[in-house]
Amino acid sequence: MVKERSAPSVPTERMISTLKRLCEDKRNAVFVVSGKERHSLTNSLEGIPNLGLAAEHGMFISWPLHKKSDKRRWETLVPETDRTWRSLAVTIMEVYTSRTHGSYIEETEMKVLWQYRDADLEFGYLQARELEDHLSKYLRSYSVDILHGGMEEGGYVEVRPKGVNKGVLAMRVIKHFPVIAQKDRIDFCLVLGDDHCDEPMLSVMRQVGRRIAGVRRAKSGEEPLPPMPATIPLVDVSSVDGYVSPELEVFTATVGKKPSAAASYLHDVNEAQELLESLVKVSTRDQKFYSAVDLRSHVTGAGSGFGMTTTLETVSTGMPKSLSYGQMSIPEDDSGEPKQQKRPSNGFLNDYLGTIEDEHADEDEEFIFF
């Protein structure tokens, strides 16, 4: 008999409130990407204007609504024209369910799963490997992917349409950014994930950030970036070049310290909550008091620590607002040549994000994302 399944996770009222406040800032484009079905996401998050949603690992996308009266519409990441594979997959899975005590089948709009997390661990894993081979043989003529997640990933064998993952979705969202934010290019990205299904998204976004950072370093004569960890499969992200700013800064973080495609980590969900709340405070505060950095307005030429530009927006007091990365230039030395100086680090985010050390950087083996 199947054991009692864990209750579905739902966002807390505190998290919903934080998302609402982030979405209220028109400069932000916020997306929640989940493995849950569409109805589950809309039940939990429908009341948040300007929030984008992606269900079932990105298969179904709903772009942000700017008015409460607008009806939420969904589109698919990839066309799903042939669904005959579903009945065949279920038929095969039923054989393994009948002989694996504690296993069961789940069907959603996009995928079919054989769950064995409630079965005997060793026997369930052996059956899952056999089922994976069985499905691969009989579904090879269909445009589907067959994924096996071990017990650390939840214990399942999944069949889904080919080409559906959160990494592909991330690139789709970037290309749609001018429509979402009514702004030409993205200049800042914070990407958070907590399990193996988020790894393709973290990997893609990290590579987008590295690509832009590499160009900046080459132009300023800095040393090239070190190679990516061997555990991260390389992806061609050049198709989004026209949608990202040359000053783009990307921060990727996984929740929980563990091997990941992300460059950084947060210890737990509470830290993720605190980080998002801090972003709200930063974006909504009025700058009534000015730091020593703002005194650069009284310094001209090379004497300014960051190379003061002349295009700063000023407030009624005549003092400049805080500078963005794009407004900070590299000062010149006595010969008129740019000094070799690192770009300013984002100390605010670094207070939260810990760096993931890659323990297998010298290994050549590939890490396969499920």
Side-chain angles (χ1 to χ4, degrees):
M1 184 175 182
V2 178
K3 299 178 183 178
E4 183 179 354
R5 302 175 192 175
S6 58
S9 59
V10 294
T12 63
E13 289 298 325
R14 181 182 173 190
M15 178 59 75
I16 291 176
S17 175
T18 301
L19 289 175
K20 282 183 178 179
R21 297 191 66 187
L22 283 172
C23 291
E24 286 171 358
D25 190 336
K26 295 181 179 180
R27 297 170 295 180
N28 295 334
V30 184
F31 248 86
V32 172
V33 185
S34 174
K36 294 183 177 181
E37 296 181 79
R38 289 187 282 179
H39 66 84
S40 179
L41 278 185
T42 52
N43 288 342
S44 301
L45 303 171
E46 182 63 30
I48 304 179
N50 301 321
L51 177 66
L53 299 177
E56 300 207 41
H57 307 294
M59 176 60 175
F60 299 102
I61 311 167
S62 178
W63 303 109
L65 301 178
H66 300 296
K67 297 179 182 179
K68 289 185 178 180
S69 58
D70 292 342
K71 184 178 180 181
R72 188 170 288 279
R73 300 180 183 277
W74 295 86
E75 61 184 59
T76 57
L77 182 64
V78 298
E80 189 181 15
T81 55
D82 184 4
R83 297 172 62 89
T84 56
W85 60 266
R86 295 175 66 95
S87 59
L88 180 56
V90 170
T91 300
I92 296 172
M93 289 179 179
E94 285 175 344
V95 175
Y96 289 83
T97 302
S98 65
R99 67 191 193 193
T100 309
H101 181 68
S103 66
Y104 54 91
I105 300 171
E106 288 186 4
E107 291 190 68
T108 69
E109 291 181 85
M110 176 192 76
K111 59 185 180 289
V112 179
L113 298 94
W114 183 73
Q115 296 277 10
Y116 66 93
R117 58 190 172 195
D118 295 325
D120 176 81
L121 293 180
E122 185 175 353
F123 184 70
Y125 180 78
L126 292 174
Q127 290 296 295
R129 291 293 300 272
E130 185 178 327
L131 171 60
E132 185 181 6
D133 292 339
H134 200 165
L135 290 169
S136 298
K137 177 181 179 180
Y138 286 96
L139 298 180
R140 62 177 179 268
S141 61
Y142 294 93
S143 182
V144 296
D145 287 325
I146 300 169
L147 313 175
H148 180 196
M151 291 306 299
E152 292 183 357
E153 291 82 31
Y156 66 87
V157 176
E158 175 181 324
V159 185
R160 67 166 72 164
K162 186 175 290 293
V164 176
N165 66 61
K166 295 181 182 181
V168 177
L169 170 75
M171 296 182 68
R172 177 78 167 270
V173 171
I174 291 176
K175 294 176 181 179
H176 203 75
F177 180 77
V179 178
I180 299 174
Q182 297 179 350
K183 186 178 177 182
D184 290 338
R185 298 188 176 191
I186 299 174
D187 54 17
F188 172 85
C189 287
L190 173 63
V191 186
L192 305 179
D194 69 343
D195 66 17
H196 67 286
C197 294
D198 299 312
E199 291 298 314
M201 175 177 64
L202 294 168
S203 174
V204 163
M205 293 309 301
R206 184 174 178 180
Q207 291 178 64
V208 169
R210 281 177 57 90
R211 181 178 174 85
I212 301 302
V215 172
R216 282 200 304 260
R217 293 173 71 97
K219 287 182 177 179
S220 63
E222 298 179 63
E223 292 292 327
L225 291 167
M228 290 281 286
T231 53
I232 300 178
L234 299 180
V235 179
D236 181 9
V237 296
S238 60
S239 62
V240 302
D241 286 352
Y243 302 89
V244 296
S245 166
E247 302 302 320
L248 173 70
E249 295 289 343
V250 175
F251 296 86
T252 56
T254 185
V255 180
K257 188 175 183 180
K258 56 183 178 289
S260 172
S264 309
Y265 71 92
L266 295 161
H267 282 102
D268 50 36
V269 175
N270 290 333
E271 279 199 355
Q273 174 74 55
E274 292 174 7
L275 173 59
L276 295 179
E277 289 177 346
S278 298
L279 289 175
V280 171
K281 292 178 182 178
V282 169
S283 65
T284 57
R285 70 185 178 188
D286 292 325
Q287 190 169 347
K288 297 179 181 179
F289 303 98
Y290 298 90
S291 68
V293 176
D294 293 312
L295 296 179
R296 286 171 295 181
S297 60
H298 296 287
V299 184
T300 59
S304 173
F306 291 96
M308 188 68 177
T309 63
T310 59
T311 59
L312 297 181
E313 180 183 0
T314 57
V315 292
S316 58
T317 60
M319 298 292 287
K321 292 183 176 180
S322 298
L323 299 180
S324 68
Y325 279 104
Q327 292 172 316
M328 292 181 177
S329 59
I330 299 176
E332 299 177 349
D333 57 22
D334 295 337
S335 65
E337 296 295 326
K339 291 182 179 179
Q340 297 302 315
Q341 177 176 318
K342 292 183 179 180
R343 298 177 60 78
S345 63
N346 195 319
F348 163 70
L349 283 175
N350 291 336
D351 287 341
Y352 287 90
L353 304 178
T355 301
I356 296 178
E357 299 294 339
D358 181 47
E359 299 178 354
H360 307 285
D362 297 329
E363 295 182 6
D364 294 330
E365 63 187 39
E366 292 185 348
F367 184 84
I368 301 177
F369 295 114
F370 294 102

